[in-house]
């Protein structure tokens, strides 16, 4: 278990945290909540590694299709348009195609290089922001929105943020002091103590599921509980 004040790992029999001195209050589990406290061993289920592999394959496939479409489209444009000729148009197509491929490559490498680590929810913030949309021909529009952020400090001291636009689902799901684990490959977070929760986000696709379910109804991966 962990101290709710500073996040230090402590034994179940401890009455006071050895790091900050806070009194450890033993929470009473409600009926049906057994097994909802602790990081789930279900993360080792083959369904998760299969999901990551499929995500990488789809990212590569979609990027290649977009790259081919960009090269083909600009080549045709260069042949039929009077505004731009080939090979100039074709070079632009190759440039855009390269951008799609690089984005996919970074996504795949980001999943492979990610690591599993533990941390504590340190803060939650709501900010009012404005997005600027430039549609050309002096047509500029502004859109106001709310950015919800959950700030997590890893045990090594690095801060990470879960952000969402105009959605407070994860903002309300996590509370300051919650212990969480970041899972490599999935780049998602699992809460240590899920007792009292009615819903749980799928650590694969992010779908919000009922806590009573065993698998995500969308991607069929096990729910980490």
């Amino acid at each position: 278990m962990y101290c709710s004040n500073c996040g230090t790992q402590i034994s179940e029999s401890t009455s006071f945290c050895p790091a900050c001195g806070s009194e450890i209050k033993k929470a009473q589990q409600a009926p049906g909540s057994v097994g909802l406290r602790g990081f789930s061993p279900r993360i080792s289920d083959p369904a998760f590694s299969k999901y990551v592999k499929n995500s990488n394959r789809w990212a590569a496939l979609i990027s290649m299709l977009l790259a081919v479409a960009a090269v083909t489209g600009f080549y045709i444009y260069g042949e039929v348009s009077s505004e731009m000729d080939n090979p100039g148009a074709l070079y632009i197509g190759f440039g855009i195609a390269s951008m799609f491929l690089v984005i996919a490559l970074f996504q795949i490498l980001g999943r492979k290089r990610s690591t599993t680590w533990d941390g504590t929810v340190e803060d939650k913030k709501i900010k009012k922001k404005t997005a600027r949309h430039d549609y050309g021909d002096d047509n500029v529009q502004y859109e106001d929105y709310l950015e919800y952020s959950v700030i997590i400090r890893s045990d090594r001291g690095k801060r990470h943020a879960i952000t969402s636009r105009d959605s407070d689902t994860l903002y309300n799901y996590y509370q300051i002091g919650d212990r969480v684990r970041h899972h490599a490959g999935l780049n998602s977070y699992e809460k240590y103590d899920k007792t009292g929760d009615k819903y749980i986000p799928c650590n694969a696709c992010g779908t919000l599921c009922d806590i009573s379910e065993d698998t995500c109804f969308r991607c069929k991966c096990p729910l980490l509980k």
Side-chain angles (χ1 to χ4, degrees), residues 100-122:
F100 287 132
L101 294 175
V102 168
I103 291 174
L105 179 62
F106 273 103
Q107 288 177 339
I108 295 171
L109 290 178
R111 295 189 186 101
K112 291 184 176 181
R113 292 178 178 176
S114 63
T115 59
T116 296
W117 49 266
D118 294 346
T120 305
V121 176
E122 184 180 66

Side-chain angles (χ1 to χ4, degrees), residues 65-210:
L65 291 175
L66 291 173
V68 171
V71 172
T72 303
F74 273 91
Y75 174 78
I76 294 174
Y77 181 76
E79 291 295 309
V80 302
S81 174
S82 59
E83 297 179 358
M84 184 178 296
D85 297 326
N86 285 319
L90 187 60
Y91 290 155
I92 295 177
F94 276 119
I96 296 177
S98 300
M99 179 186 67
F100 287 132
L101 294 175
V102 168
I103 291 174
L105 179 62
F106 273 103
Q107 288 177 339
I108 295 171
L109 290 178
R111 295 189 186 101
K112 291 184 176 181
R113 292 178 178 176
S114 63
T115 59
T116 296
W117 49 266
D118 294 346
T120 305
V121 176
E122 184 180 66
D123 196 8
K124 302 200 303 181
K125 298 178 180 180
I126 303 176
K127 293 182 179 180
K128 292 183 178 180
K129 292 195 170 184
T130 302
R132 185 179 186 272
H133 303 287
D134 191 347
Y135 298 101
D137 298 328
D138 296 327
N139 183 12
V140 178
Q141 298 181 15
Y142 295 89
E143 178 187 7
D144 294 328
Y145 67 94
L146 292 177
E147 182 183 81
Y148 294 87
S149 300
V150 178
I151 312 300
I152 299 172
R153 179 188 285 271
S154 72
D155 290 347
R156 293 186 176 183
K158 186 176 181 179
R159 284 188 175 91
H160 304 263
I162 304 174
T163 60
S164 56
R165 178 169 170 171
D166 285 333
S167 175
D168 62 355
T169 301
L170 293 179
Y171 179 88
N172 293 328
Y173 177 71
Y174 294 103
Q175 304 300 321
I176 295 177
D178 281 346
R179 287 290 295 177
V180 297
R181 173 167 291 174
H182 175 270
H183 291 292
L186 298 169
N187 285 327
S188 60
Y189 297 86
E190 176 192 359
K191 188 159 66 170
Y192 177 85
D193 189 355
K194 310 169 190 74
T195 57
D197 290 343
K198 295 181 179 180
Y199 301 97
I200 181 173
C202 172
N203 279 80
C205 67
T207 300
L208 199 64
C209 302
D210 192 283

